[in-house]
Amino acid sequence: MTITPLSTVALVQNPALGALLLWRFGKSYQEERLVEPAQLHSFFVVLPLLYHAPTLDRIRSTYESSGLSQFAKKLGEERELLIAVHERALKMRELTLSSVGAAISSGLMSLSYDTGRLRSNEARPPKPPERLKYHMAGADKLGRWFGRLSLDQAFSLLWVEP
């Protein structure tokens, strides 16, 4: 049996890392909203924003206090970056779902089937490698930014259809 080596993209864009990033997003969202968990469909834009280098650079260069509207404004300066968010969210649905599944099965998160909300549980996941610090910080910022707005407002700013 021949084993095909994983591509560089597959090494980074995997459900385990995705689970950790989604957990961090949810944790920050809950801190911003005073414990209320985020709607499941809000998680579908997190990985497409964090796994795209030019977009992650815009997240990094936006102060947490500036919020999602300032970040969207920066993306809008290169209009194609803002327009591409929705398309990437669609293309990465499977990865996001796999990441949600990994987060739930590992105990990082729990899903309320009644409300459609995904809660980040109290957990102490392993510390991610240094090379992922910007992804983790970006997930933290996104969670806080989303927590300050309604989901409709956040999706509207990012030109994403629910």
Side-chain angles (χ1 to χ4, degrees), residues 7 9 17 29 31 37 39 43-44 48 60 63-64 76-77 97 102 110 118 121 128 132 138 143 151 155 159:
S7 69
V9 172
L17 174 57
Y29 181 98
E31 289 167 5
Q39 290 282 332
F43 289 85
F44 283 86
R60 286 180 56 202
Y63 293 112
E64 183 184 308
E77 289 169 1
L97 277 174
S110 52
L118 190 58
N121 299 324
L132 298 175
L151 192 54
F155 278 8
W159 293 17

Side-chain angles (χ1 to χ4, degrees), residues 1-41:
M1 172 166 86
T2 2
I3 298 175
T4 309
L6 291 174
S7 69
T8 309
V9 172
L11 288 171
V12 175
Q13 295 183 6
N14 65 69
L17 174 57
L20 187 59
L21 293 172
L22 295 180
W23 174 79
R24 183 68 250 166
F25 168 85
K27 199 80 176 124
S28 298
Y29 181 98
Q30 287 165 209
E31 289 167 5
E32 198 64 38
R33 285 285 180 122
L34 303 175
V35 182
E36 180 184 63
Q39 290 282 332
L40 175 61
H41 50 289

Side-chain angles (χ1 to χ4, degrees), residues 6-154:
L6 291 174
S7 69
T8 309
V9 172
L11 288 171
V12 175
Q13 295 183 6
N14 65 69
L17 174 57
L20 187 59
L21 293 172
L22 295 180
W23 174 79
R24 183 68 250 166
F25 168 85
K27 199 80 176 124
S28 298
Y29 181 98
Q30 287 165 209
E31 289 167 5
E32 198 64 38
R33 285 285 180 122
L34 303 175
V35 182
E36 180 184 63
Q39 290 282 332
L40 175 61
H41 50 289
S42 66
F43 289 85
F44 283 86
V45 297
V46 176
L47 299 181
L49 292 171
L50 295 176
Y51 284 163
H52 183 252
T55 305
L56 181 59
D57 287 344
R58 297 320 182 280
I59 293 170
R60 286 180 56 202
S61 69
T62 306
Y63 293 112
E64 183 184 308
S65 59
S66 298
L68 193 65
S69 60
Q70 183 63 31
F71 165 66
K73 183 178 176 186
K74 285 183 178 185
L75 280 183
E77 289 169 1
E78 291 183 54
R79 201 168 182 82
E80 55 282 345
L81 286 179
L82 187 57
I83 293 169
V85 173
H86 180 78
E87 186 63 32
R88 278 198 317 277
L90 292 174
K91 287 180 180 176
M92 297 181 87
R93 279 185 298 212
E94 190 174 317
L95 176 61
T96 299
L97 277 174
S98 296
S99 298
V100 166
I104 292 171
S105 67
S106 68
L108 286 176
M109 303 181 92
S110 52
L111 178 63
S112 168
Y113 294 97
D114 295 336
T115 63
R117 293 187 180 271
L118 190 58
R119 173 175 300 285
S120 287
N121 299 324
E122 289 303 317
R124 296 191 84 65
K127 185 177 179 189
E130 182 68 17
R131 70 186 193 293
L132 298 175
K133 71 179 180 181
Y134 297 123
H135 291 84
M136 292 300 288
D140 186 64
K141 278 185 188 177
L142 287 172
R144 293 185 187 287
W145 292 342
F146 270 68
R148 295 175 191 155
L149 302 168
S150 73
L151 192 54
D152 288 341
Q153 289 171 318

